[in-house]
Amino acid sequence: MPPGIPSSPTSTPAPSRRRVFLLAALFALPVACDRPRPNEYQGYVEGEFVYIASPLGGRLDRLEVRRGQTVAARAPLFALDAELETAAKHEADHRWRAAQAQLADIRTGKRLPEVEVIQAQLTQAEAQAQNAETQLRRDEAQFAAGGVSQATLDERRTAATSLRAHVFELKAQVAVAHLPNREQQIHAQEAQVEAAAASLAQADWSLRQKTVFARQDGLVFDTLYREGEWVAAGAPVVKLLPPQNVKARFFVPEKALGALSPGQRVQLSCDACPRPIAARISYIAQEAEYTPPVIYSNDNRAKLVYLVEAHPEAPQKADSGASGIPSPLPSLNPGQPLTVTLDSSPGNSAQ
């Protein structure tokens, strides 16, 4: 441009144009940074809760845990009132003991004093029979001499025969007194003992169901009743989250589905995670999610996504604190957003 002629108002100096381009690049930079990298997907944490309940109903007498507490396996969780079950167990125990005692009595036969009574009666009958035999021999001699009638002799013979039979009867009673009862009676009483034992086991089981313990380590995610409230049979009282029941859920597009397989390693990252958490894919859905209500075509196939689940390889440990039990996965809480990255290192395959 010749000197002295003013520049056009629409022209922009070169430094100004460079500033405009720099500002545009700076505004576009966050957008580019927010885009997900390859093999990286968004997901969230989900917990498979275990609802702890008693098969019997009752008043909640003791709640041994609180929300947020970590418990170990076999730790007491809660107890329901057990007055009725305790009384039922005592009754069943007494019935079982009585049936056992009756069976032992049947097997041993009569008691010793009863046997001694029969033995004394036998001794008395033997003496009477011996006296009758002596008297019969005398009457037979008198009858030969004509001093005793035929009728008297017949009476003596009848009395002697009767006493001999009585002696035989008492000897048989003594032998029977030493024998147990009949086999059928013993079998019937054995069945009574077994039935009483089954009733005792049932009463003991009912009593033990009133105190509920943790079957595995876990986090007490919630408590659903307060002490003093009535709990129906089968109603959950404690909501427990075992560490192995924490998993990640994320969705992948249809094009990336072929590169995934159960057992494949992934990395889980979150805002509160100090470092990535190793996990393995445990489930891949066979059906698409959020499917458009139209027939599949090459244009809308990219909108299909599939649910994938991955479990951490090892539960994360935290400081045990006052409870002395490591809390499960402190950095992964149900509902927490995650970033899932596929592990592309060599050797990463299903095991």
Side-chain angles (χ1 to χ4, degrees):
M1 180 179 296
I5 300 177
S7 62
S8 172
T10 59
S11 63
T12 303
S16 299
R17 287 197 298 270
R18 286 196 297 268
R19 285 196 295 269
V20 171
F21 293 151
L22 181 59
L23 290 175
L26 290 176
F27 281 115
L29 182 60
V31 176
C33 294
D34 289 342
R35 294 177 182 176
R37 293 177 295 177
N39 296 335
E40 186 176 275
Y41 305 97
Q42 300 302 315
Y44 60 94
V45 180
E46 184 173 275
E48 296 175 340
F49 299 102
V50 178
Y51 294 87
I52 310 299
S54 171
L56 305 177
R59 184 184 65 252
L60 182 59
D61 278 354
R62 299 191 313 275
L63 184 61
E64 307 286 357
V65 295
R66 63 184 184 277
R67 287 189 299 176
Q69 178 183 351
T70 53
V71 295
R74 296 181 297 276
L77 298 179
F78 63 92
L80 306 178
D81 70 288
E83 296 180 4
L84 180 61
E85 287 73 18
T86 302
K89 182 182 178 181
H90 289 166
E91 179 183 4
D93 182 65
H94 292 321
R95 291 184 182 276
W96 176 67
R97 294 178 184 274
Q100 280 190 320
Q102 189 173 359
L103 177 60
D105 182 69
I106 290 177
R107 285 174 173 172
T108 56
K110 291 184 178 295
R111 296 173 296 177
L112 180 60
E114 295 176 337
V115 177
E116 291 177 349
V117 169
I118 300 175
Q119 187 67 46
Q121 293 176 353
L122 174 60
T123 303
Q124 183 181 3
E126 288 176 341
Q128 292 175 354
Q130 184 178 1
N131 186 32
E133 291 290 343
T134 303
Q135 187 64 39
L136 177 60
R137 287 193 296 270
R138 290 174 183 174
D139 289 343
E140 288 177 345
Q142 290 292 330
F143 178 76
V148 176
S149 64
Q150 183 66 40
T152 302
L153 181 61
D154 292 341
E155 290 179 0
R156 297 297 184 186
R157 287 176 177 172
T158 302
T161 303
S162 176
L163 288 173
R164 284 196 298 270
H166 187 51
V167 170
F168 180 80
E169 175 188 3
L170 291 175
K171 287 182 178 179
Q173 289 185 9
V174 171
V176 171
H178 288 91
L179 296 176
N181 284 11
R182 291 182 299 178
E183 185 177 356
Q184 292 81 0
Q185 292 179 336
I186 294 177
H187 289 338
Q189 189 58 36
E190 287 176 345
Q192 292 293 335
V193 172
E194 292 179 359
S199 298
L200 177 59
Q202 181 179 0
D204 181 69
W205 179 87
S206 299
L207 179 60
R208 287 187 287 107
Q209 300 310 307
K210 287 305 187 77
T211 302
V212 180
F213 299 85
R215 296 295 184 91
Q216 53 191 335
D217 299 348
L219 170 70
V220 179
F221 198 82
D222 199 2
T223 56
L224 308 178
Y225 285 87
R226 299 181 179 89
E227 291 184 356
E229 293 182 329
W230 178 265
V231 181
V237 177
V238 175
K239 188 177 179 181
L240 197 65
L241 180 59
Q244 64 272 16
N245 288 15
V246 177
K247 61 183 179 181
R249 290 166 62 99
F250 60 100
F251 295 88
V252 300
E254 186 265 344
K255 291 183 178 180
L257 189 63
L260 303 180
S261 60
Q264 185 175 351
R265 187 181 292 109
V266 297
Q267 298 290 331
L268 310 180
S269 303
C270 64
D271 295 339
C273 300
R275 60 184 179 275
I277 299 172
R280 287 189 180 272
I281 295 177
S282 57
Y283 171 75
I284 301 176
Q286 302 299 318
E287 297 181 356
E289 304 279 348
Y290 310 116
T291 305
V294 294
I295 301 176
Y296 293 162
S297 66
N298 293 332
D299 295 334
N300 58 31
R301 264 195 338 193
K303 300 179 181 179
L304 300 180
V305 291
Y306 288 80
L307 169 67
V308 180
E309 294 181 353
H311 282 77
E313 292 184 345
Q316 303 299 301
K317 302 297 183 180
D319 295 334
S320 58
S323 63
I325 307 299
S327 61
L329 295 173
S331 57
L332 297 182
N333 302 309
Q336 183 178 7
L338 290 175
T339 299
V340 182
T341 305
L342 300 183
D343 192 346
S344 57
S345 59
N348 178 22
S349 59
Q351 294 181 355

